[in-house]
């Protein structure tokens, strides 16, 4: 069984989930007369997270980035905003290391590791929500939809009230550790590809798999892992397959084929061994139907129920991220209808780039919430 220590830790929290959620709700209730009781030792710490109020006067959409957007220095100055110190303090208890120092000071090689990177992006993105709320509370109050790329989907669900911050972070921890272990089983990776209109990505992947078979690799994996924008894909699989695609990029009508700095072939069958630990931990935490529209990476459609959330988050590990399809769902409009204000919350501006390539009109109302701030 993969990562028994991780699953064992999750089991240790099984009986404590409901008290933690109850405490979190008390903490986030505006009417409470005084501070909540401190949680017993070994319980997941409760942290308040901003949620939308669905103000009918205009509306906004929040996008949360995924792994690969991180950089050393993210989070600088954000602890001056409400709740951010509590988020990083809770993260240290849950993760067992100082996440804030890792984000601020690195070293970069440690921040790049899947086990560190995913929690770092998750917490920093939700810290950016606090910054946005401080600078523009209406952007939070009028939010009607959210989406997150890969691990960013957990941040979107927490913001939408579908998951508790601490429980979601613990699930992200389990997810990241399981994906790290899965990536160490065989040499694999991910390749960012921009193709010409005539490029056939699935056929290119088929050729790469046939090449792997000629090298004696049984059941080779090579498939589209991310649908980013028209003619923009990420292909993932065995390293030998990706090498083949790079070496034959011109023949395959690829304009660009660039390796991504990740440890494995995420969102492919090579992540199959990571699904069981994630499924088990998601069965132990409370999941609720999102209070606003949240769109799944698996099919680009909105989540409809708590069971749907659990099912899709597990399936996401071995399924391509259909980001382009999700953006079409979010921004579909009747002719003449106004577009919402869009905010990207987290490190990097990659989601803004994909929005521009998918819907230029919607991208004109895009803004990035920087995950650094003045210390003053």
């Amino acid at each position: 069984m993969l990562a028994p220590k991780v699953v064992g830790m999750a089991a240790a929290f099984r009986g404590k989930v409901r008290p933690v959620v109850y405490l979190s709700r008390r903490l986030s209730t505006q009417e409470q007369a005084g501070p909540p009781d401190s949680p017993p030792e070994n319980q997941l710490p409760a942290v308040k997270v901003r949620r939308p109020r669905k103000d009918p006067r205009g509306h906004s959409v929040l996008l949360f980035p995924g792994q690969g957007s991180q950089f050393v220095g993210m989070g600088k100055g954000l602890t001056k905003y409400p709740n951010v110190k509590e988020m990083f303090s809770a993260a240290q208890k849950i993760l067992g290391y100082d996440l804030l120092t890792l984000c601020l000071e690195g070293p970069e090689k440690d921040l790049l590791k899947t086990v560190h990177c995913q929690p770092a992006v998750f917490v920093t993105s939700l810290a950016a929500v606090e910054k946005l709320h401080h600078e523009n509370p209406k952007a939070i109050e009028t939010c009607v939809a959210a989406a997150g790329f890969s691990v960013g989907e957990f941040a979107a669900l927490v913001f939408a009230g579908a998951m508790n911050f601490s429980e979601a972070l613990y699930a992200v921890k389990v997810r990241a550790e399981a994906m790290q272990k899965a990536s160490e089983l065989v040499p694999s990776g991910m390749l960012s590809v921009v193709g010409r209109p005539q490029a056939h990505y699935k056929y290119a992947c088929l050729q790469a798999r046939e090449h792997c078979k000629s090298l004696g690799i049984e059941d080779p994996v090579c498939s589209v892992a991310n649908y980013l924008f028209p003619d923009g894909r990420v292909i993932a699989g065995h390293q030998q397959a990706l090498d083949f695609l790079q070496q034959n990029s011109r023949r395959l009508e690829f304009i660009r084929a660039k390796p991504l700095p990740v440890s494995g072939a995420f969102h492919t069958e090579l992540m199959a061994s990571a699904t069981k630990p994630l499924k088990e931990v998601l069965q132990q935490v409370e999941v609720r139907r999102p209070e606003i529209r949240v769109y799944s990476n698996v099919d680009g459609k909105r989540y409809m129920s708590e069971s749907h959330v659990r099912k899709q988050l597990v399936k996401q590990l071995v399924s391509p991220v259909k980001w382009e399809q999700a953006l079409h769902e979010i921004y579909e409009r009747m002719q003449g209808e106004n577009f919402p204000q869009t905010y990207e919350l987290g490190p990097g501006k990659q989601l803004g780039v994909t929005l521009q390539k998918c819907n230029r009109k919607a991208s004109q109302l895009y803004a990035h919430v920087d995950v650094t701030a003045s210390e003053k």
Side-chain angles (χ1 to χ4, degrees):
M1 186 173 76
L2 181 65
K5 182 178 179 183
V6 171
V7 176
M9 279 186 66
F13 285 115
R14 182 179 285 120
K16 302 182 177 70
V17 168
R18 290 204 175 276
V20 171
V21 173
Y22 172 71
L23 185 64
S24 175
R25 286 172 180 166
R26 287 185 60 192
L27 182 61
S28 61
T29 300
Q30 299 298 321
E31 293 81 10
Q32 63 187 2
D37 299 329
S38 298
E41 285 187 9
N42 298 325
Q43 277 195 358
L44 294 173
V47 176
K48 175 182 174 182
V49 173
R50 302 288 176 190
R51 292 183 187 175
R53 296 181 186 172
K54 299 184 184 178
D55 188 322
R57 296 169 296 175
H59 52 280
S60 64
V61 171
L62 303 191
L63 304 179
F64 296 89
Q67 184 172 349
S69 60
Q70 72 284 341
F71 61 88
V72 174
M74 66 182 189
K76 180 181 178 182
L78 294 187
T79 55
K80 69 181 181 182
Y81 298 108
N83 303 321
V84 175
K85 279 185 179 180
E86 288 81 358
M87 286 182 184
F88 279 103
S89 176
Q92 185 166 356
K93 295 175 183 177
I94 294 165
L95 302 172
Y97 59 87
D98 189 343
L99 181 67
L100 180 59
T101 298
L102 180 61
C103 289
L104 295 178
E105 303 175 9
E108 185 178 22
K109 64 180 179 63
D110 288 342
L111 186 59
L112 283 172
K113 292 178 181 177
T114 296
V115 291
H116 298 144
C117 172
Q118 292 189 17
V121 171
F122 170 84
V123 176
T124 304
S125 295
L126 288 172
V129 171
E130 297 298 328
K131 178 181 178 180
L132 178 61
H133 182 265
H134 178 80
E135 296 180 346
N136 183 4
K138 186 178 179 182
I140 301 299
E141 294 164 1
T142 63
C143 183
V144 294
F149 194 99
S150 192
V151 72
E153 202 164 85
F154 284 83
L157 287 165
V158 169
F159 173 75
M163 302 180 77
N164 165 272
F165 170 85
S166 293
E167 292 171 21
L169 177 56
Y170 186 74
V172 168
K173 175 184 185 291
V174 172
R175 178 185 190 267
E177 291 175 350
M179 291 173 72
Q180 180 73 50
K181 286 185 177 294
S183 68
E184 293 169 357
L185 297 177
V186 297
S188 60
M190 305 183 81
L191 193 69
S192 175
V193 173
V194 176
R196 302 183 190 282
Q198 60 267 37
H200 295 284
Y201 303 99
K202 290 184 179 179
Y203 181 61
C205 291
L206 174 63
Q207 291 185 63
R209 291 196 296 272
E210 292 299 323
H211 170 73
C212 287
K213 288 180 181 178
S214 73
L215 299 177
I217 299 174
E218 296 184 8
D219 301 319
V221 172
C222 182
S223 58
V224 175
N226 302 161
Y227 292 85
L228 301 177
F229 50 84
D231 296 316
R233 305 284 189 273
V234 172
I235 296 175
H238 281 84
Q239 188 58 51
Q240 295 90 333
L242 303 185
D243 292 341
F244 172 85
L245 294 177
Q246 279 192 281
Q247 293 163 6
N248 294 273
S249 61
R250 181 173 295 183
R251 178 174 64 82
L252 296 170
E253 303 290 352
F254 293 166
I255 299 172
R256 186 190 72 191
K258 180 182 178 181
L260 295 179
V262 296
S263 61
F266 305 146
H267 306 292
T268 72
E269 296 170 26
L270 291 178
M271 289 292 111
S273 60
T275 59
K276 186 177 180 181
L278 180 59
K279 182 178 181 180
E280 290 185 356
V281 76
L282 288 174
Q283 289 172 341
Q284 296 160 20
V285 303
E286 184 171 7
V287 177
R288 301 172 291 278
R289 180 176 178 175
E291 296 172 11
I292 59 172
R293 297 193 303 274
V294 177
Y295 293 82
S296 169
N297 286 182
V298 173
D299 55 11
K301 305 292 185 181
R302 63 180 296 189
Y303 283 112
M304 302 305 296
S305 67
E306 55 272 19
S307 61
H308 192 206
V309 171
R310 288 191 175 96
K311 178 181 176 182
Q312 296 291 76
L313 286 179
V314 174
K315 192 174 180 181
Q316 186 216 75
L317 291 182
V318 293
S319 303
V321 173
K322 294 187 176 178
W323 189 252
E324 179 183 351
Q325 293 87 334
L327 292 182
H328 289 317
E329 285 284 332
I330 295 170
Y331 296 100
E332 183 179 14
R333 293 288 185 280
M334 297 291 289
Q335 188 171 2
E337 189 176 349
N338 292 331
F339 285 96
Q341 179 73 47
T342 297
Y343 298 91
E344 181 173 356
L345 297 111
K349 300 179 181 179
Q350 294 93 329
L351 302 185
V353 173
T354 61
L355 178 58
Q356 183 181 33
K357 292 180 181 293
C358 290
N359 192 319
R360 186 171 294 275
K361 287 185 177 180
S363 71
Q364 292 173 358
L365 293 172
Y366 161 89
H368 175 247
V369 180
D370 192 7
V371 291
T372 60
S374 170
E375 298 285 358
K376 295 181 180 180

